């Protein structure tokens, strides 16, 4: 299973600033980072931003990341969140003490079932364009596997994370 090295502050040559993040967690982290970037581009305001990896005991792999952000000039009206993102990946069991992982087979089964419209996920996300589609949307099938995320989040949560509804799926 591929994992991503994620740098937290400081010099990115300092290995103490890196964690191992699953692709699943990375996608959700990116959604919040993009939300902040869009806000900064639009307003030129300042954002206080902090990410804190959470380890249990002497484990080598973090359990997740606490992400906090607050827009300064507008007292949090533009950006205000305090979330915890779990360092997990569907179909993979992690041994956090060593950072090792094992494939459970569930992800493959889940992917095979995605063609079945009876799946109960709420939206299909495109992590590249930061848009979301309704599960029944034909255009959602065109999203590349690398960028496709099946989400149980509510519409408001996705919008809060920086996603927008695809034009074909806007009410």
């Amino acid at each position: 299973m591929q994992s991503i090295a994620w740098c937290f502050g400081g010099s990115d040559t300092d290995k103490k600033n890196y964690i191992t993040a699953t692709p699943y967690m990375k996608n959700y982290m990116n959604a919040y980072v993009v939300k902040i970037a869009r806000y900064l581009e639009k307003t030129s305001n300042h954002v206080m931003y902090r990410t804190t990896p959470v380890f249990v005991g002497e484990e080598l792999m973090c359990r997740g990341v606490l992400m906090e952000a607050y827009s300064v000039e507008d007292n949090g009206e533009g950006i205000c969140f305090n979330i915890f993102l779990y360092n997990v990946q569907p179909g993979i069991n992690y041994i956090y003490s060593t950072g090792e992982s094992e494939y459970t087979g569930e992800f493959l089964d889940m992917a095979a079932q995605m063609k079945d419209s009876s799946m109960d996920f709420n939206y299909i996300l495109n992590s590249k364009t930061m848009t979301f589609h309704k599960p029944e949307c034909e255009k959602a099938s065109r999203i590349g596997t690398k960028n496709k995320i099946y989400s149980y989040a509510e519409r408001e949560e996705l919008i809060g994370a920086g996603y927008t509804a695809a034009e074909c799926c806007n009410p």
Side-chain angles (χ1 to χ4, degrees):
M1 180 68 218
Q2 178 187 11
S3 295
I4 286 81
W6 197 274
C7 180
F8 288 90
S11 165
D12 56 13
T13 58
D14 185 351
K15 292 184 187 216
K16 292 179 183 178
N17 290 326
Y18 282 89
I19 65 163
T20 300
T22 64
Y24 193 75
M25 184 174 85
K26 177 192 152 294
N27 280 336
Y28 283 100
M29 288 180 74
N30 280 343
Y32 286 95
V33 170
V34 167
K35 179 180 180 176
I36 292 169
R38 286 181 179 165
Y39 172 82
L40 292 171
E41 286 175 359
K42 192 168 75 174
T43 66
S44 297
N45 287 349
H46 296 87
V47 173
M48 291 188 293
Y49 175 68
R50 175 171 57 185
T51 54
T52 308
V54 176
F55 291 88
V56 175
E58 297 295 315
E59 291 179 341
L60 299 178
M61 184 174 173
C62 73
R63 294 294 178 124
V65 174
L66 178 65
M67 293 182 71
E68 304 165 276
Y70 185 83
S71 52
V72 178
E73 285 83 357
D74 61 8
N75 294 317
E77 284 188 39
I79 298 287
C80 183
F81 61 82
N82 180 355
I83 57 160
F84 185 79
L85 300 174
Y86 289 92
N87 200 11
V88 296
Q89 182 75 32
I92 306 292
N93 282 338
Y94 287 97
I95 304 165
Y96 292 91
S97 60
T98 64
E100 295 177 64
S101 63
E102 68 179 10
Y103 175 62
T104 65
E106 293 171 28
F107 189 70
L108 181 60
D109 296 341
M110 187 173 108
Q113 293 174 7
M114 287 303 169
K115 293 178 184 168
D116 177 4
S117 62
S118 67
M119 292 299 288
D120 65 352
F121 53 87
N122 296 337
Y123 295 99
I124 300 171
L125 313 182
N126 184 331
S127 62
K128 182 176 182 180
T129 63
M130 296 298 290
T131 57
F132 61 89
H133 295 263
K134 294 176 181 173
E136 63 274 8
C137 178
E138 275 186 39
K139 292 186 179 181
S141 64
R142 298 182 195 153
I143 301 170
T145 313
K146 179 175 144 185
N147 300 316
K148 188 181 281 191
I149 301 170
Y150 297 93
S151 175
Y152 297 95
E154 297 298 325
R155 178 184 178 87
E156 296 78 25
E157 291 176 284
L158 294 173
I159 291 169
Y163 282 88
T164 56
E167 285 184 32
C168 52
C169 296
N170 241 333

